[in-house]
Amino acid sequence: MCGLTAFLRLSGDKTCPQDKIEGASPPDLKSQVDSSLDLIKHRGPDARGQWFSPDSRVGLGHVRLSIIDLSPAGNQPFHDGDDNVHAVVNGELYDYEKIRAELAEGYDFKSDCDCEIVIALYHRYGESFLSHLRGEFSLVLWDAKKQLFIAARDRYGIKSLYYTVVDGRLLVATEMKCFLPFGWKPEWDVVNLRDKAWMYGPSMFFKDVHRVGPGQYLISRDFNAAEVKTYWDLDYPSKHHVYPKTEAETVERVRELLIESVQHRLRADVGVGVFLSGGIDSSAVAGMTAHIIQQGKSLGNDASGKLSNLTAFTVQFDKNSGFDESDIARRTAESLGIDFQTVLLDEETIASKLEDTVWHTETPIPDVNGMGRLALAETARAAGKRVILTGEGSDEHFSGYGDFLWSYLREPDHAWTSSSDAGAQSAEMWEVANEMVAKGVAGTVIKSTDTEAAEKLNNSSIFPRVEWVCQLPFDKWTDRYTRGRPETSFAESFSEKVLADVKGKWHPLHSSQYQWTKSVLANYILRYIGDNIDMVHQIETRPPFLDHHLTEYVNQIPPSLKIKYDTVNRTLREKHILREAMKPFVTEEIYNRMKQPYIGPTQYKKGGPVQKALEALLTESNVRELGFIDWDTVQDNLKKAFRDQNPVYFRSTLGVAQLVVLGKRFGVKRAQDPKAEAVGDGGPTCPCVVS
């Protein structure tokens, strides 16, 4: 787990003067890379390294958090024996010992670090080496002989990787702030903000800044413009294909794959712990970890076999908020015999961590759960841990959200012939589902208002969910700078093959799982309550549910084994197959408990620390400096958020405050209405240009 920055000087960039393409001198480049790494030095306090090509056209920078092989031999960049191939890697690669053994005859390894297998695999398989990597990672590799530049990201987007072009250089880095020392001048992309496109597409809310997508890589040959390619994607069987396994066989295999995934993620030369909530996902991870320790396996660098050395860390919200699960988590920890630590997230803590959460995640998500995750990481670090296992990805695999419930009911499940009713999605089941949603048991489900787009997406509620997350009071002038139909843009962000599969091949449940995984999981969950916030305190988080060996099996499981209807009790049980597979490792309370998402409270006392923190950010000058937010509406929403204790207005208010933080810390200039500029002073005519 580390951080990286890299550059490639491109040839033939017609938008950039030749003198700028020639670029900075080597001392200047070293200074730029150093300054870029300074901005993410918290990600790698143990070592720092740089490498530049002899002609200074390529540069790699790396900061290291030592997890596997703590010796200097594991420091990066890595280089092959011919000093031809060079790489920097951020992340954790599993099965590396097996891969090392297979490749040792043809490659001279210089360390015991897991990440060194990247160059060895590239030597063996060339460009297809990415398919042989298992784990969470981002990386940059340069082959000087072939003049080949590759920047890749793991299959789920657990690790972030951004890119842009500045003065003829392709810049690639773990975090967007790393571009600043290279002369990048960030500008708001108002179109992407209006359409929420940064929540699902490759382009960010800053103009001309993009991210490498999950399962994708960026490649440049001979210093030419880079192109994006896909090496892995989610897939599901035809909804008419009959599932050949029994429920018992499926339960056993899911259990085997999950235990194997957890075992891989317990391998470390440092202390390991778990994040624990009141749900089955993290509880199952804790339970499996305890089980593995009892089988005589090591917990990171601890081979004592003592369950009490396994620590579970839990956020404790206000007991009266309706969001606190710490009592349930405590009972789980006690049943397992493991250590338990709560982290109180009171108003003072939320207010004090608000700005840092936004700066480090680079993600304006209007929830306080990010502040909770930051507090958890801080506590885990203080307890001597560097690796933490988490529960992200379970809901996406096993259908844990209310949005999936409705998708499941849209069509019969022909893949599961053991179903008591081949047309199982009956009127009775719809009635039960509506009752669950009305009571809040399954969470709110938001219907689409774009009929044409909804048809393309097989009537999923995923984009309405994305829209609901980011509700901002835009200024009137921005109305003319939208794509018109945001949900249509969401649909068109997927390939023709995916849209064809969504429409005709996959069951609606699987279609919704795909859409959610590519948007909310990758760009909200894994960013705002994931790696970038955990690494502030040098915590490497590992999600066992996000393992492609598990995914490729679970995606074949029919919908009726993921969501099961109980005809006797008239309930729809989400994550049924997971519950059965994890039954030996969780309490009866957890086994029977309905899904409760990890979100933070939205109601706070008037005049309290949270309101004061928001008021300090949402001054008239700060809001107007954004240029695209309506100040009068912000004032009104702020009052309603605390006077009326209204969660919708609170989230909108928090979202604007987060944009203010980003604008100030990134030094973003005020966005202007281009048409107004053109009339007033002959200014630029393209949308969303800053002044």
Side-chain angles (χ1 to χ4, degrees):
M1 186 70 67
C2 311
L4 63 84
T5 189
F7 68 81
L8 174 76
R9 196 177 78 210
L10 300 172
S11 297
D13 185 344
K14 297 178 181 179
T15 66
C16 184
Q18 189 61 34
D19 61 335
K20 289 199 171 185
I21 292 179
E22 292 305 317
S25 63
D28 292 335
L29 289 175
K30 185 180 187 307
S31 176
Q32 288 174 338
V33 172
D34 262 336
S35 297
S36 181
L37 294 175
D38 278 341
L39 290 168
I40 54 170
K41 62 184 178 182
H42 55 277
R43 298 186 64 97
D46 298 328
R48 179 183 295 208
Q50 295 184 5
W51 175 86
F52 300 95
S53 63
D55 59 3
S56 298
R57 296 191 73 173
V58 185
L60 305 177
H62 188 268
V63 288
R64 184 187 184 203
L65 176 65
S66 304
I67 300 294
I68 301 288
D69 185 359
L70 308 186
S71 75
N75 294 346
Q76 301 186 40
F78 292 121
H79 316 279
D80 68 358
D82 298 326
D83 202 32
N84 179 61
V85 180
H86 314 271
V88 284
V89 186
N90 165 33
E92 206 65 51
L93 302 175
Y94 307 115
D95 261 353
Y96 73 95
E97 290 164 320
K98 177 183 175 183
I99 293 173
R100 284 173 61 93
E102 293 172 350
L103 301 179
E105 194 169 314
Y107 187 83
D108 181 22
F109 287 94
K110 300 175 179 61
S111 75
D112 292 322
C113 182
D114 57 303
C115 293
E116 194 181 357
I117 65 171
V118 164
I119 292 183
L121 284 169
Y122 174 75
H123 268 275
R124 172 69 65 88
Y125 298 107
E127 191 176 321
S128 65
F129 79 98
L130 295 166
S131 297
H132 297 269
L133 296 176
R134 180 180 187 178
E136 47 266 9
F137 60 86
S138 62
L139 62 88
V140 175
L141 180 145
W142 170 248
D143 184 334
K145 187 175 182 179
K146 294 183 178 179
Q147 295 192 338
L148 184 70
F149 181 93
I150 295 175
R153 195 175 177 203
D154 66 69
R155 293 167 176 82
Y156 306 93
I158 301 167
K159 303 299 174 208
S160 54
L161 194 64
Y162 300 96
Y163 65 97
T164 190
V165 175
V166 176
D167 292 341
R169 279 190 173 83
L170 172 66
L171 306 177
V172 180
T174 300
E175 298 181 17
M176 292 184 286
K177 58 180 68 72
C178 295
F179 301 147
L180 292 168
F182 292 98
W184 173 54
K185 304 297 182 185
E187 304 175 10
W188 294 115
D189 189 328
V190 177
V191 174
N192 260 13
L193 282 163
R194 280 287 313 231
D195 292 347
K196 285 81 176 178
W198 69 272
M199 279 285 289
Y200 59 82
S203 299
M204 297 303 297
F205 42 77
F206 293 134
K207 288 186 65 179
D208 301 320
V209 176
H210 313 278
R211 56 186 157 221
V212 178
Q216 294 187 332
Y217 63 104
L218 196 68
I219 184 166
S220 169
R221 303 178 193 275
D222 300 319
F223 300 98
N224 290 314
E227 60 177 317
V228 176
K229 293 188 175 183
T230 298
Y231 68 90
W232 186 88
D233 201 1
L234 297 162
D235 198 7
Y236 305 89
S238 167
K239 57 189 174 184
H240 298 293
H241 175 72
V242 177
Y243 185 63
K245 305 291 185 181
T246 66
E247 181 172 337
E249 289 173 325
T250 305
V251 166
E252 182 179 359
R253 186 58 179 153
V254 168
R255 185 181 298 145
E256 289 173 352
L257 288 168
L258 274 168
I259 290 176
E260 178 196 335
S261 182
V262 171
Q263 285 178 325
H264 280 301
R265 286 157 180 80
L266 294 180
R267 172 69 176 91
D269 296 331
V270 294
V272 177
V274 296
F275 284 163
L276 183 63
S277 70
I280 190 171
D281 310 330
S282 60
S283 299
V285 170
M288 285 186 287
T289 301
H291 169 76
I292 291 167
I293 294 171
Q294 289 176 315
Q295 302 305 306
K297 304 292 185 180
S298 295
L299 176 69
N301 63 355
D302 177 15
S304 69
K306 295 181 180 178
L307 285 176
S308 57
N309 287 351
L310 172 60
T311 303
F313 302 91
T314 298
V315 168
Q316 179 182 327
F317 292 116
D318 186 309
K319 295 285 187 179
N320 299 317
S321 67
F323 294 88
D324 181 56
E325 298 183 316
S326 60
D327 288 341
I328 301 171
R330 182 184 299 278
R331 291 193 288 271
T332 293
E334 290 173 350
S335 75
L336 295 172
I338 64 177
D339 182 44
F340 181 72
Q341 292 190 30
T342 56
V343 181
L344 178 62
L345 196 70
D346 55 18
E347 283 211 36
E348 289 77 8
T349 305
I350 292 169
S352 67
K353 296 185 182 300
L354 192 161
E355 293 194 41
D356 283 345
T357 298
V358 180
W359 168 244
H360 288 296
T361 62
E362 303 179 329
T363 306
I365 296 295
D367 201 305
V368 303
N369 53 7
M371 296 71 155
R373 187 69 171 241
L374 182 59
L376 274 179
E378 184 177 15
T379 303
R381 178 60 177 156
K385 308 300 180 186
R386 279 203 170 185
V387 169
I388 295 290
L389 272 61
T390 68
E392 286 86 24
S394 173
D395 291 303
E396 288 73 17
H397 282 84
F398 297 101
S399 305
Y401 295 116
D403 295 277
F404 298 151
L405 188 67
W406 279 16
S407 294
Y408 166 63
L409 293 177
R410 288 197 175 278
E411 289 184 15
D413 181 11
H414 298 295
W416 185 239
T417 56
S418 298
S419 173
S420 58
D421 178 6
Q425 289 65 3
S426 63
E428 179 180 283
M429 292 173 67
W430 275 103
E431 182 182 341
V432 170
N434 288 329
E435 289 173 359
M436 292 171 66
V437 170
K439 293 176 182 176
V441 176
T444 58
V445 179
I446 307 167
K447 295 182 179 180
S448 171
T449 57
D450 186 335
T451 305
E452 184 179 337
E455 185 178 351
K456 290 182 180 178
L457 298 169
N458 209 344
N459 295 296
S460 82
S461 58
I462 305 306
F463 184 77
R465 172 70 58 198
V466 170
E467 277 205 306
W468 177 84
V469 169
C470 305
Q471 299 182 57
L472 297 170
F474 288 97
D475 212 337
K476 291 283 187 190
W477 72 263
T478 67
D479 290 348
R480 65 172 68 99
Y481 301 116
T482 72
R483 297 181 180 91
R485 296 172 59 188
E487 190 166 0
T488 296
S489 298
F490 176 67
E492 291 173 350
S493 70
F494 300 117
S495 69
E496 290 183 8
K497 178 189 179 302
V498 167
L499 286 177
D501 288 344
V502 164
K503 183 71 174 171
K505 177 184 174 184
W506 299 338
H507 188 278
L509 174 64
H510 291 151
S511 297
S512 288
Q513 286 179 297
Y514 184 93
Q515 294 168 49
W516 182 285
T517 302
K518 294 295 184 177
S519 57
V520 181
L521 176 67
N523 304 322
Y524 168 5
I525 296 172
L526 294 177
R527 295 280 63 75
Y528 194 64
I529 47 176
D531 169 69
N532 286 7
I533 199 69
D534 301 324
M535 284 297 290
V536 175
H537 295 290
Q538 299 88 54
I539 293 296
E540 173 180 291
T541 42
R542 301 176 175 178
F545 287 102
L546 293 178
D547 184 289
H548 73 280
H549 291 247
L550 174 70
T551 297
E552 289 169 358
Y553 180 80
V554 173
N555 282 3
Q556 305 301 310
I557 298 174
S560 293
L561 286 182
K562 295 179 179 179
I563 299 176
K564 193 163 187 176
Y565 182 57
D566 184 336
T567 57
V568 176
N569 297 312
R570 294 185 80 249
T571 58
L572 283 157
R573 188 189 197 212
E574 94 286 352
K575 294 193 281 197
H576 166 75
I577 204 72
L578 176 67
R579 292 175 189 275
E580 297 305 311
M582 295 294 100
K583 192 171 184 179
F585 310 116
V586 299
T587 64
E588 191 72 16
E589 177 182 28
I590 294 297
Y591 172 74
N592 289 313
R593 190 166 185 257
M594 293 293 293
K595 165 72 183 178
Q596 300 294 324
Y598 171 55
I599 55 177
T602 56
Q603 296 181 344
Y604 299 92
K605 60 187 177 185
K606 191 174 181 181
V610 171
Q611 183 175 3
K612 289 179 180 177
L614 292 176
E615 287 177 340
L617 290 168
L618 297 175
T619 63
E620 182 174 3
S621 61
N622 283 349
V623 173
R624 292 196 185 281
E625 185 60 25
L626 292 173
F628 56 88
I629 295 294
D630 182 70
W631 162 243
D632 292 333
T633 305
V634 170
Q635 283 183 293
D636 192 44
N637 288 353
L638 180 58
K639 291 176 184 177
K640 292 176 180 176
F642 293 93
R643 183 193 66 200
D644 303 338
Q645 298 288 288
N646 188 299
V648 173
Y649 294 121
F650 174 79
R651 291 186 183 279
S652 179
T653 299
L654 178 58
V656 177
Q658 291 170 321
L659 290 175
V660 167
V661 173
L662 289 172
K664 283 185 166 297
R665 294 212 180 182
F666 275 86
V668 189
K669 293 181 181 179
R670 183 174 184 268
Q672 299 275 353
D673 180 352
K675 291 192 175 180
E677 280 189 330
V679 171
D681 59 11
T685 58
C686 59
C688 315
V689 176
V690 297
S691 59

